[in-house]
Amino acid sequence: MKRVLIGGFVMMGGLFIASTIILAGALYVPDTTSWWSGRSKFWFAIFGGEQHGDDVVDSLFLGLPLIVGVVLALLGLLILGREYNKK
């Protein structure tokens, strides 16, 4: 029971971090004014890009916390899955 609670809290914490960053990126995309190149404007708003000359990179730079949130969610899901298969 203890591991189920730990896995649940770790998974919910990771999902909260990841969903908050995704929501922040979605709300920030219409306000970006810098030139972006690459995959998408949403991707640029979260992960950022390179600075060219004196231009300001208008991004949130939340890529590392997003990856940490996804890893925590997967780790919690792994803990819950192991405890489910144990019983």
Side-chain angles (χ1 to χ4, degrees), residues 13-22 24 45-48 60-73:
L15 288 175
F16 180 73
I17 291 169
S19 63
T20 303
I21 291 172
I22 289 171
I46 292 178
F47 285 96
L60 296 174
F61 292 107
L62 292 174
L64 184 63
L66 178 67
I67 292 170
V68 169
V70 170
V71 167
L72 281 174

Side-chain angles (χ1 to χ4, degrees), residues 31-70:
D31 297 331
T32 57
T33 57
S34 65
W35 179 256
W36 59 277
S37 64
R39 297 184 180 205
S40 70
K41 207 170 187 180
F42 180 70
W43 183 270
F44 177 77
I46 292 178
F47 285 96
E50 297 178 13
Q51 182 176 1
H52 300 289
D54 293 334
D55 293 338
V56 176
V57 179
D58 191 19
S59 176
L60 296 174
F61 292 107
L62 292 174
L64 184 63
L66 178 67
I67 292 170
V68 169
V70 170

Side-chain angles (χ1 to χ4, degrees), residues 73-86:
L74 292 176
L75 181 67
L77 192 63
L78 179 72
I79 292 170
L80 287 174
R82 286 187 62 184
E83 287 302 310
Y84 179 73
N85 285 333
K86 216 182 243 188

